[in-house]
């Protein structure tokens, strides 16, 4: 159900990294339904083409580019192409991420580096490339994760990267505030029907344990995160910057992290 004015983002342009699947695609679609012209970016041209087609099939305006967030020049080209084709840049979502379960003692230096490069350095690349083209009033939103504050078995690489995103959010908000560029982050809880949760909780036992760790005792929906991203990009959040916003059903209230029983299930599932 949409609770926002249907022309909320009329005349706005949004760029969504990782916008070709899961949570980020839902954000891109929701923005388009509210009138924004959207650009999606991810590595796979096939996924880019499919995402564009899905948004256009709903009557939205969409373009897209295949690029890796780890390649700053490619990111810059995608941002420039967005501004060339859609005219400006009002909203930026940095949502591309990579994840896999791996206990630290089994993780190679390149495995650790790969996730930090995609999640943290990739977020810097997206926001830095966007800065030069951002309109005054631009809203930049990064997608963080519960691992930024909670220690999860097999997630040292993601925790390091997402904690970095939270501090990058605060730092850029402080530096870019005087230009009226707002920089915020969203911490989604466990979200139904996503690649992320397929990777993190592959068995019914683990799903049950995760739900039990959430105050509301259920998974969230992709729409829940799209709604938070809509609030943060809207005028209603015009005095909100440097915030790391939880949309997690109260999962963080238990302190984050996982129980030993969950870690044992994780180990068995590998
Ligand atoms: P997803 O469906 O796997 O989406 C990841 C997106 O990032 C895809 O579009 C992927 O497309 C793109 N991507 C991956 N590596 C990339 C790279 N190097 N360069 C450019 N694009 C890249 O994931 P999701 O589960 O919806 O998660 C989306 C975001 O929410 C992530 O930031 C994740 O950490 C966060 N999050 C998710 C959950 C959850 O419950 N799922 C919970 C907390 C936080 P290509 O393969 O085409 O590159
Ligand atoms: N366990 C341990 N190490 C792993 C791993 C796993 N499951 N998957 C990859 N790695 C390691 C590789 O072994 C490699 O290290 P090495 O050179 O020392 O062997 C390093 O990570 C890079 O792997 P590679 O496959 O070359 O990376 P990539 O850039 O092609 O892919 C990933 C990045 C690994 C994150 C891949 O899972 C991906 O593309 N994910 C995107 C989708 C996603 O993760 N969605 C959920 C978002 S929350």
């Amino acid at each position: 159900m949409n609770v926002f004015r249907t022309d909320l983002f009329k005349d706005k342009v949004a760029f969504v990294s990782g916008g070709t699947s899961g949570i980020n695609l839902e954000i891109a679609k929701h923005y388009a339904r509210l009138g924004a012209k959207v650009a999606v970016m991810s590595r796979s041209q096939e996924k880019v083409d499919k995402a564009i087609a899905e948004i256009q099939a709903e009557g939205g305006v969409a373009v897209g580019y295949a690029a890796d967030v780890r390649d700053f020049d490619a990111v810059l080209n995608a941002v420039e192409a967005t501004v060339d084709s859609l005219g400006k840049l009002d909203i930026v979502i940095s949502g591309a991420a990579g994840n896999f379960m791996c206990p630290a003692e089994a993780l190679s230096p390149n495995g650790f580096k790969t996730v930090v490069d995609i999640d943290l350095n990739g977020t810097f690349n997206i926001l830095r490339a966007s800065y030069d083209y951002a309109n005054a009033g631009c809203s930049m939103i990064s997608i963080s994760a519960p691992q930024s504050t909670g220690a999860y078995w097999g997630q040292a690489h993601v925790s390091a990267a997402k904690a970095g995103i939270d501090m990058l959010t605060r730092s850029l908000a402080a530096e870019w505030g005087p230009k009226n560029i707002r920089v915020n982050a969203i911490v989604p809880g466990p979200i139904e029907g996503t690649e992320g949760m397929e990777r993190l909780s592959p068995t019914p036992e683990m799903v049950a344990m995760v739900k039990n760790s959430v105050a509301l005792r259920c998974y969230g929906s992709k729409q829940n995160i799209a709604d938070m991203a809509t609030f943060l990009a809207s005028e209603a959040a015009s005095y909100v910057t440097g915030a790391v916003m939880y949309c997690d059903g109260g999962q963080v209230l238990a302190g984050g992290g996982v129980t030993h029983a969950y870690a044992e299930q994780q180990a068995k599932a590998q």
Side-chain angles (χ1 to χ4, degrees):
M1 186 184 67
N2 173 41
V3 300
F4 296 96
R5 216 179 61 219
T6 50
D7 65 347
L8 188 68
F9 291 148
K10 186 172 176 286
D11 300 327
K12 300 285 185 194
V13 174
F15 178 90
V16 184
S17 92
T20 62
S21 69
I23 291 170
N24 306 311
L25 175 58
E26 191 61 34
I27 294 172
K29 285 182 173 175
H30 195 57
Y31 282 175
R33 288 176 200 131
L34 300 178
K37 299 185 183 102
V38 299
V40 293
M41 192 207 97
S42 80
R43 292 166 300 178
S44 154
Q45 185 68 54
E46 198 184 333
K47 284 171 73 172
V48 167
D49 292 341
K50 187 163 178 286
I52 293 172
E54 286 182 23
I55 295 167
Q56 288 176 340
E58 292 186 4
V61 176
V63 297
Y65 307 100
D68 193 313
V69 290
R70 290 168 284 191
D71 178 345
F72 180 75
D73 290 340
V75 168
L76 194 58
N77 285 342
V79 171
E80 279 173 356
T82 299
V83 174
D84 281 349
S85 60
L86 302 181
K88 61 195 179 112
L89 192 56
D90 303 295
I91 305 166
V92 179
I93 301 288
S94 174
N99 195 0
F100 50 79
M101 302 299 311
C102 185
E105 67 270 21
L107 187 60
S108 71
N110 193 40
F112 184 86
K113 179 178 180 298
T114 296
V115 169
V116 172
D117 275 348
I118 298 171
D119 293 20
L120 176 57
N121 300 341
T123 292
F124 178 78
N125 288 344
I126 292 291
L127 302 186
R128 176 64 189 85
S130 300
Y131 175 83
D132 292 336
Y133 295 91
N135 282 339
C138 181
S139 172
M140 298 186 180
I141 302 164
S142 297
I143 309 299
S144 182
Q147 291 92 325
S148 73
T149 50
Y152 287 68
W153 187 94
Q155 291 284 272
H157 41 314
V158 175
S159 284
K162 295 289 191 178
I165 289 177
D166 291 0
M167 270 319 297
L168 184 65
T169 299
R170 298 181 183 107
S171 301
L172 298 184
E175 289 200 25
W176 296 349
K179 296 234 171 198
N180 195 18
I181 294 173
R182 295 184 296 109
V183 187
N184 294 293
I186 299 172
V187 177
I191 302 302
E192 188 98 60
T194 59
E195 180 68 28
M197 287 318 293
E198 289 292 320
R199 289 180 182 222
L200 261 58
S201 286
T203 68
E205 292 81 9
M206 292 164 79
V207 170
M209 283 179 183
V210 171
K211 285 185 179 168
N212 209 35
S213 75
V214 175
L216 294 178
R217 295 288 189 273
C218 58
Y219 274 15
S221 67
K222 289 178 265 192
Q223 184 66 50
N224 289 146
I225 308 305
D227 285 341
M228 177 66 92
T230 300
F231 164 69
L232 283 174
S234 77
E235 279 296 305
S238 58
Y239 203 52
V240 180
T241 196
V244 177
M245 308 279 278
Y246 283 77
C247 184
D248 71 341
Q251 189 184 38
V252 72
L253 301 176
V258 292
T259 62
H260 287 295
Y262 181 82
E264 279 166 19
Q265 293 284 336
Q266 293 275 24
K268 273 193 226 153
Q270 296 309 301

